[in-house]
Protein backbone atom coordinates (compact mmCIF):
# COMPACT_ATOMS: atom_id res chain seq x y z
CA UNK A 1 0.00 0.00 0.00
CA UNK A 2 1.55 3.33 -0.99
CA UNK A 3 1.44 6.53 1.02
CA UNK A 4 -1.64 7.97 -0.70
CA UNK A 5 -3.63 4.72 -0.32
CA UNK A 6 -2.57 4.48 3.34
CA UNK A 7 -3.74 8.02 4.06
CA UNK A 8 -6.97 7.34 2.18
CA UNK A 9 -7.66 4.17 4.19
CA UNK A 10 -7.15 5.96 7.52
CA UNK A 11 -9.28 8.90 6.37
CA UNK A 12 -12.13 6.50 5.49
CA UNK A 13 -11.93 4.77 8.86
CA UNK A 14 -11.99 8.14 10.65
CA UNK A 15 -14.97 9.34 8.58
CA UNK A 16 -17.07 6.42 9.90
CA UNK A 17 -15.69 6.36 13.47
CA UNK A 18 -17.84 7.51 16.39
CA UNK A 19 -15.06 6.90 18.91
CA UNK A 20 -11.43 7.91 18.22
CA UNK A 21 -8.29 7.88 20.40
CA UNK A 22 -4.92 9.40 19.60
CA UNK A 23 -1.56 8.85 21.35
CA UNK A 24 1.19 11.39 20.64
CA UNK A 25 4.89 11.50 21.52
CA UNK A 26 7.81 13.86 21.07
CA UNK A 27 7.68 13.44 17.27
CA UNK A 28 4.65 15.72 16.91
CA UNK A 29 6.52 18.52 18.69
CA UNK A 30 9.70 17.95 16.67
CA UNK A 31 8.02 19.96 13.90
CA UNK A 32 7.68 22.82 16.41
CA UNK A 33 11.44 22.66 17.03
CA UNK A 34 11.21 20.87 20.41
CA UNK A 35 14.08 18.32 20.60
CA UNK A 36 12.91 14.69 20.80
CA UNK A 37 14.24 12.36 23.47
CA UNK A 38 16.01 9.74 21.49
CA UNK A 39 16.84 11.58 18.31
CA UNK A 40 20.32 12.95 17.66
CA UNK A 41 19.23 16.41 18.86
CA UNK A 42 17.53 14.84 21.89
CA UNK A 43 20.50 14.58 24.22
CA UNK A 44 21.35 17.31 26.69
CA UNK A 45 24.95 17.79 27.90
CA UNK A 46 25.48 13.98 27.46
CA UNK A 47 22.73 13.23 29.95
CA UNK A 48 19.78 10.97 29.05
CA UNK A 49 16.21 11.66 30.16
CA UNK A 50 16.26 8.30 31.95
CA UNK A 51 19.16 9.60 34.09
CA UNK A 52 17.74 13.04 34.90
CA UNK A 53 13.95 12.55 34.92
CA UNK A 54 13.94 10.35 38.04
CA UNK A 55 13.13 10.94 41.73
CA UNK A 56 16.60 9.59 42.62
CA UNK A 57 18.35 12.17 40.42
CA UNK A 58 16.22 14.94 41.97
CA UNK A 59 16.95 13.74 45.53
CA UNK A 60 20.68 13.55 44.74
CA UNK A 61 21.02 16.86 42.88
CA UNK A 62 17.82 18.97 42.64
CA UNK A 63 19.76 21.90 41.19
CA UNK A 64 21.06 19.85 38.21
CA UNK A 65 17.57 18.49 37.49
CA UNK A 66 16.08 21.99 37.74
CA UNK A 67 18.81 23.33 35.41
CA UNK A 68 17.71 20.70 32.85
CA UNK A 69 14.08 21.71 33.23
CA UNK A 70 14.98 25.39 33.04
CA UNK A 71 16.75 24.65 29.72
CA UNK A 72 13.67 22.80 28.44
CA UNK A 73 11.26 25.50 29.64
CA UNK A 74 13.41 28.09 27.86
CA UNK A 75 13.37 26.03 24.64
CA UNK A 76 9.64 25.25 24.81
CA UNK A 77 8.59 28.82 25.77
CA UNK A 78 9.52 30.00 22.25
CA UNK A 79 7.75 27.14 20.40
CA UNK A 80 4.32 27.10 18.81
CA UNK A 81 1.84 24.36 17.90
CA UNK A 82 2.28 22.85 14.40
CA UNK A 83 -0.46 22.20 11.83
CA UNK A 84 -0.40 18.69 13.32
CA UNK A 85 -1.35 19.92 16.81
CA UNK A 86 -3.99 22.22 15.29
CA UNK A 87 -5.46 19.43 13.14
CA UNK A 88 -5.89 17.23 16.24
CA UNK A 89 -7.67 20.10 18.03
CA UNK A 90 -10.05 20.26 15.05
CA UNK A 91 -10.43 16.45 14.91
CA UNK A 92 -11.83 16.30 18.45
CA UNK A 93 -14.92 18.24 17.31
CA UNK A 94 -15.76 15.63 14.64
CA UNK A 95 -16.35 12.55 16.78
CA UNK A 96 -18.88 11.72 19.50
CA UNK A 97 -16.11 10.25 21.64
CA UNK A 98 -12.55 11.51 21.32
CA UNK A 99 -9.51 11.43 23.60
CA UNK A 100 -6.05 12.77 22.81
CA UNK A 101 -3.48 11.12 25.09
CA UNK A 102 -0.08 12.77 24.98
CA UNK A 103 3.23 11.66 26.48
CA UNK A 104 4.57 15.15 25.86
CA UNK A 105 4.92 17.61 28.73
CA UNK A 106 5.41 20.68 26.47
CA UNK A 107 1.79 21.89 26.65
CA UNK A 108 1.58 22.42 22.86
CA UNK A 109 -1.67 20.44 22.45
CA UNK A 110 -3.31 22.68 25.08
CA UNK A 111 -1.92 25.75 23.29
CA UNK A 112 -3.39 24.42 20.01
CA UNK A 113 -6.87 24.34 21.58
CA UNK A 114 -7.24 20.65 22.39
CA UNK A 115 -9.69 20.19 25.26
CA UNK A 116 -10.37 16.43 25.23
CA UNK A 117 -6.76 16.00 26.23
CA UNK A 118 -4.96 13.80 28.77
CA UNK A 119 -1.36 14.76 29.59
CA UNK A 120 -0.17 11.31 30.68
CA UNK A 121 3.22 12.47 31.97
CA UNK A 122 2.14 15.87 33.28
CA UNK A 123 2.99 19.36 32.07
CA UNK A 124 6.30 21.25 32.26
CA UNK A 125 4.48 24.49 33.22
CA UNK A 126 3.06 22.90 36.43
CA UNK A 127 5.06 22.62 39.67
CA UNK A 128 4.33 20.63 42.85
CA UNK A 129 5.53 21.16 46.42
CA UNK A 130 7.51 18.15 47.69
CA UNK A 131 6.40 18.99 51.25
CA UNK A 132 2.70 19.93 51.15
CA UNK A 133 1.80 18.65 47.68
CA UNK A 134 0.37 21.98 46.48
CA UNK A 135 0.23 22.10 42.65
CA UNK A 136 0.26 25.34 40.68
CA UNK A 137 1.09 26.72 37.25
CA UNK A 138 4.43 28.52 36.97
CA UNK A 139 5.66 30.11 33.76
CA UNK A 140 8.88 31.72 35.06
CA UNK A 141 11.67 31.30 32.50
CA UNK A 142 14.04 30.61 34.11
CA UNK A 143 12.78 29.40 37.53
CA UNK A 144 14.88 31.05 40.25
CA UNK A 145 16.67 28.09 41.88
CA UNK A 146 15.93 26.41 44.11
CA UNK A 147 12.19 27.27 43.96
CA UNK A 148 10.23 27.05 47.21
CA UNK A 149 6.53 26.72 47.96
CA UNK A 150 4.67 29.98 48.63
CA UNK A 151 2.74 28.53 51.53
CA UNK A 152 5.14 26.17 53.31
CA UNK A 153 8.60 26.99 51.86
CA UNK A 154 8.99 23.35 50.77
CA UNK A 155 11.12 22.53 47.70
CA UNK A 156 9.12 22.68 44.44
CA UNK A 157 9.55 20.01 41.73
CA UNK A 158 8.20 19.75 38.20
CA UNK A 159 4.66 18.27 38.29
CA UNK A 160 5.76 15.63 35.82
CA UNK A 161 5.82 11.80 35.96
CA UNK A 162 9.46 10.72 36.15
CA UNK A 163 10.88 7.31 35.26
CA UNK A 164 10.17 4.88 38.08
CA UNK A 165 7.14 6.88 39.23
CA UNK A 166 3.68 5.42 38.84
CA UNK A 167 1.08 7.19 36.76
CA UNK A 168 -2.06 8.69 38.26
CA UNK A 169 -4.61 5.83 38.54
CA UNK A 170 -7.53 7.99 37.36
CA UNK A 171 -5.61 9.10 34.26
CA UNK A 172 -4.66 5.52 33.46
CA UNK A 173 -8.25 4.31 33.87
CA UNK A 174 -9.41 7.06 31.51
CA UNK A 175 -6.84 5.88 28.94
CA UNK A 176 -7.94 2.25 29.29
CA UNK A 177 -11.58 3.29 28.80
CA UNK A 178 -10.72 5.14 25.59
CA UNK A 179 -8.54 2.27 24.28
CA UNK A 180 -11.28 -0.29 24.97
CA UNK A 181 -13.98 1.68 23.16
CA UNK A 182 -12.20 3.45 20.28
CA UNK A 183 -12.82 2.27 16.71
CA UNK A 184 -9.66 4.03 15.51
CA UNK A 185 -6.40 4.67 17.40
CA UNK A 186 -3.74 6.94 15.85
CA UNK A 187 -0.19 6.53 17.22
CA UNK A 188 1.72 9.69 16.30
CA UNK A 189 5.44 10.45 16.70
CA UNK A 190 6.41 8.05 19.46
CA UNK A 191 9.25 5.52 19.51
CA UNK A 192 7.22 3.14 21.66
CA UNK A 193 10.07 2.91 24.19
CA UNK A 194 8.29 4.09 27.33
CA UNK A 195 5.69 2.16 29.32
CA UNK A 196 2.82 2.07 29.99
CA UNK A 197 2.14 4.26 26.88
CA UNK A 198 3.98 1.69 24.74
CA UNK A 199 1.34 -0.91 25.64
CA UNK A 200 -1.57 1.23 24.37
CA UNK A 201 -1.40 0.12 20.71
CA UNK A 202 -1.53 -3.63 21.52
CA UNK A 203 -4.35 -3.01 24.04
CA UNK A 204 -6.45 -1.12 21.48
CA UNK A 205 -5.68 -3.71 18.78
CA UNK A 206 -6.76 -6.54 21.08
CA UNK A 207 -9.99 -4.62 21.75
CA UNK A 208 -10.72 -4.53 18.00
CA UNK A 209 -9.58 -1.00 17.05
CA UNK A 210 -8.12 -0.07 13.68
CA UNK A 211 -4.62 1.19 14.60
CA UNK A 212 -2.58 3.53 12.39
CA UNK A 213 0.96 4.71 13.10
CA UNK A 214 2.23 8.07 11.83
CA UNK A 215 6.01 8.29 12.21
CA UNK A 216 9.13 9.33 10.34
CA UNK A 217 10.73 5.93 10.99
CA UNK A 218 9.68 2.34 11.70
CA UNK A 219 9.18 1.54 15.42
CA UNK A 220 8.76 -1.70 17.41
CA UNK A 221 4.99 -1.22 17.00
CA UNK A 222 5.09 -0.84 13.18
CA UNK A 223 4.44 -4.49 12.44
CA UNK A 224 1.58 -4.62 14.94
CA UNK A 225 -0.48 -1.73 13.48
CA UNK A 226 -2.97 -2.00 10.59
CA UNK A 227 -1.40 0.90 8.65
CA UNK A 228 2.00 2.57 9.10
CA UNK A 229 2.31 5.94 7.35
CA UNK A 230 5.84 7.34 7.03
CA UNK A 231 6.19 11.11 7.20
CA UNK A 232 6.14 14.24 9.33
CA UNK A 233 3.18 14.53 11.71
CA UNK A 234 2.81 18.23 10.88
CA UNK A 235 2.15 17.34 7.25
CA UNK A 236 0.28 14.05 7.64
CA UNK A 237 -2.39 14.83 10.24
CA UNK A 238 -3.99 17.73 8.33
CA UNK A 239 -4.40 15.32 5.37
CA UNK A 240 -6.54 13.04 7.57
CA UNK A 241 -9.17 15.75 8.21
C1 LIG B 1 5.74 3.28 35.46
C2 LIG B 1 8.46 12.98 31.68
C3 LIG B 1 5.09 1.76 37.16
C4 LIG B 1 9.88 13.37 31.81
C5 LIG B 1 8.46 10.81 30.70
C6 LIG B 1 10.90 -2.41 31.50
C7 LIG B 1 9.69 -2.79 30.93
C8 LIG B 1 8.54 -2.00 31.12
C9 LIG B 1 8.62 -0.82 31.86
C10 LIG B 1 9.85 -0.46 32.39
C11 LIG B 1 10.98 -1.25 32.23
N1 LIG B 1 12.00 -0.64 32.88
C12 LIG B 1 11.55 0.51 33.44
C13 LIG B 1 10.26 0.61 33.17
C14 LIG B 1 9.38 1.66 33.57
C15 LIG B 1 9.63 2.94 32.76
C16 LIG B 1 9.97 2.72 31.31
O1 LIG B 1 9.10 2.49 30.49
N2 LIG B 1 11.26 2.85 31.01
C17 LIG B 1 11.68 2.71 29.63
C18 LIG B 1 12.80 3.69 29.34
C19 LIG B 1 12.07 1.24 29.40
N3 LIG B 1 8.35 3.59 32.82
C20 LIG B 1 8.08 4.31 33.92
O2 LIG B 1 8.84 4.45 34.86
C21 LIG B 1 6.68 4.91 33.97
N4 LIG B 1 6.10 4.54 35.24
O3 LIG B 1 5.86 2.40 34.63
O4 LIG B 1 5.25 3.09 36.75
C22 LIG B 1 6.49 1.26 37.42
C23 LIG B 1 7.25 1.86 38.40
C24 LIG B 1 8.54 1.38 38.63
C25 LIG B 1 9.07 0.32 37.88
C26 LIG B 1 8.29 -0.26 36.85
C27 LIG B 1 7.00 0.20 36.61
C28 LIG B 1 6.75 6.43 33.87
C29 LIG B 1 7.22 6.80 32.49
C30 LIG B 1 7.11 8.31 32.36
C31 LIG B 1 8.50 8.86 32.14
N5 LIG B 1 8.38 10.29 31.88
N6 LIG B 1 8.37 12.13 30.53
C32 LIG B 1 10.09 14.60 31.01
O5 LIG B 1 9.64 14.65 29.84
O6 LIG B 1 10.72 15.54 31.54
S1 LIG B 1 8.63 9.85 29.35
C33 LIG B 1 9.49 10.67 28.11
O7 LIG B 1 9.68 9.73 27.07
C34 LIG B 1 8.75 11.82 27.43
O8 LIG B 1 7.53 12.17 28.01
C35 LIG B 1 8.51 11.27 26.02
O9 LIG B 1 7.30 11.67 25.50
C36 LIG B 1 8.49 9.83 26.31
C37 LIG B 1 8.52 8.84 25.22
O10 LIG B 1 9.38 9.26 24.23
P1 LIG B 1 8.71 9.59 22.81
O11 LIG B 1 7.61 10.57 23.00
O12 LIG B 1 8.36 8.32 22.11
O13 LIG B 1 9.88 10.34 22.09
P2 LIG B 1 11.14 9.69 21.37
O14 LIG B 1 12.16 10.78 21.21
O15 LIG B 1 11.52 8.42 22.06
O16 LIG B 1 10.58 9.28 19.92
C38 LIG B 1 10.18 10.30 19.00
C39 LIG B 1 9.52 9.55 17.86
O17 LIG B 1 9.01 10.52 16.96
C40 LIG B 1 10.49 8.69 17.08
O18 LIG B 1 9.86 7.45 16.79
C41 LIG B 1 10.73 9.49 15.79
O19 LIG B 1 10.92 8.63 14.67
C42 LIG B 1 9.44 10.22 15.64
N7 LIG B 1 9.52 11.52 14.97
C43 LIG B 1 10.52 12.46 15.03
N8 LIG B 1 10.17 13.55 14.29
C44 LIG B 1 8.93 13.29 13.79
C45 LIG B 1 8.52 12.01 14.20
N9 LIG B 1 7.33 11.47 13.85
C46 LIG B 1 6.52 12.21 13.08
N10 LIG B 1 6.84 13.45 12.64
C47 LIG B 1 8.02 14.02 12.97
N11 LIG B 1 8.33 15.25 12.53
ZN1 LIG C 1 4.29 23.50 50.22
Amino acid sequence: MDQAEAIHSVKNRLAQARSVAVLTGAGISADSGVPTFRGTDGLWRNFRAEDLATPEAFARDPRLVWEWYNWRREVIATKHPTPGHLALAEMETRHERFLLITQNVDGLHRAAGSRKLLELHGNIWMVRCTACGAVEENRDVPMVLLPSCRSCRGLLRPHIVWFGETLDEKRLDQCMGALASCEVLLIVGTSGAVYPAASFAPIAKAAGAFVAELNLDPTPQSQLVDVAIRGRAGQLIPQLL
Side-chain angles (χ1 to χ4, degrees):
M1 186 189 296
D2 73 14
Q3 179 86 307
E5 285 166 339
I7 289 172
H8 190 70
S9 74
V10 177
K11 222 175 140 168
N12 277 344
R13 290 277 178 161
L14 284 170
Q16 299 148 23
R18 281 188 317 285
S19 170
V20 170
V22 182
L23 172 66
T24 62
I28 193 169
S29 296
D31 289 337
S32 298
V34 180
T36 62
F37 279 79
R38 293 166 188 84
T40 47
D41 61 350
L43 297 183
W44 179 73
R45 287 192 206 151
N46 308 319
F47 281 95
R48 293 180 334 127
E50 285 80 3
D51 301 331
L52 279 177
T54 70
E56 294 76 19
F58 188 72
R60 192 174 50 247
D61 190 345
R63 185 173 293 279
L64 174 68
V65 174
W66 262 118
E67 280 174 2
W68 182 53
Y69 279 95
N70 261 343
W71 174 73
R72 290 176 61 200
R73 288 161 66 103
E74 202 177 330
V75 166
I76 291 167
T78 60
K79 302 297 182 278
H80 306 288
T82 67
H85 293 97
L86 296 167
L88 289 177
E90 163 63 27
M91 196 185 283
E92 83 176 35
T93 67
R94 301 190 176 186
H95 302 279
E96 252 169 72
R97 283 196 64 178
F98 183 93
L99 184 63
L100 169 52
I101 303 164
T102 187
Q103 298 172 88
N104 301 338
V105 298
D106 57 33
L108 289 175
H109 284 302
R110 201 168 288 287
S114 285
R115 289 290 165 269
K116 296 178 177 176
L117 170 66
L118 191 149
E119 292 173 314
L120 194 63
H121 299 153
N123 184 309
I124 201 162
W125 299 114
M126 301 300 287
V127 293
R128 180 172 86 233
C129 176
T130 56
C132 74
V135 172
E136 62 179 24
E137 184 175 359
N138 179 303
R139 295 228 168 220
D140 298 347
V141 173
M143 294 285 281
V144 174
L145 302 184
L146 287 166
S148 55
C149 173
R150 272 206 289 241
S151 49
C152 82
R153 314 300 305 150
L155 175 60
L156 296 179
R157 59 164 278 176
H159 187 41
I160 276 179
V161 182
W162 281 333
F163 289 98
E165 294 187 319
T166 49
L167 278 70
D168 174 277
E169 269 310 302
K170 244 179 14 313
R171 269 194 202 147
L172 220 41
D173 290 347
Q174 206 184 336
C175 291
M176 292 304 141
L179 297 170
S181 68
C182 68
E183 291 151 84
V184 176
L185 170 67
L186 303 181
I187 306 275
V188 182
T190 180
S191 61
V194 173
Y195 287 81
S199 59
F200 289 3
I203 288 172
K205 190 95 194 79
F210 175 86
V211 184
E213 180 185 57
L214 280 60
N215 198 309
L216 269 185
D217 303 324
T219 73
Q221 330 202 41
S222 298
Q223 52 267 63
L224 162 117
V225 302
D226 296 286
V227 170
I229 308 178
R230 293 274 160 272
R232 306 195 72 84
Q235 286 155 11
L236 291 176
I237 305 174
Q239 295 180 51
L240 297 181
L241 286 184

